Amino acid sequence: MLRTVLGRRSFHTTIINRVEKAASPEFNVESASQRLGVSFTTPNILQRALTHKSFKHANEPTNERLEALGGRVISLFAAEKAFQNNAIDIAEEVNEKINATQLASVFDTLNLESGLQYHLRDGVSSNVKANAYKAVVGAIYHDKGFSAAREFVQKHL
């Protein structure tokens, strides 16, 4: 593409250095569900929770909606726990519990990274892992309801 930059003509080239990664062939949704302690009834909901919006240019269902739902659910349960513990500043305690680093480390303990699907330049960041954890919680809430989501978050957060 020929483009003018500050009165000069130059060729603009972009090298896309991204890696598309589908779920590992060894990743088994059923065994992952068992490790999580959740028996999903909605088909492919766990795989959707592990699919980043960059994968296949969002031509497949992604985890964005589940992530938004899960983020609110986690915030609610973290606030509830802070309230029960008589925290002085509930908002501050909630923010400490739900920061990206904390949620990414929880995601790592669940051993779900081999199921992540993405197309990112730098691979999986802590933000991607945190968002995937939120999406997993959103999937549990959507599929199994309030009580199951509460139990899962209390167990892992």
Side-chain angles (χ1 to χ4, degrees), residues 7 18 22 28 30 34 46 57 62 94-95 112 138 144 155:
R18 295 176 185 251
N28 184 323
E30 286 77 29
Q34 287 176 347
L46 180 57
H57 308 290
T62 67
V94 168
N95 288 336
L112 295 173
K144 293 296 177 186
K155 180 178 178 183

Side-chain angles (χ1 to χ4, degrees), residues 24-40:
S24 169
E26 293 85 36
F27 182 75
N28 184 323
V29 174
E30 286 77 29
S31 66
S33 296
Q34 287 176 347
R35 277 197 319 271
L36 296 176
V38 179
S39 177
F40 292 103

Side-chain angles (χ1 to χ4, degrees), residues 99-105 107-108 123-132:
N99 70 53
T101 306
Q102 175 74 19
L103 296 180
S105 70
F107 180 81
D108 287 336
V124 182
S125 67
S126 61
N127 284 336
V128 171
K129 290 179 182 181
N131 293 341

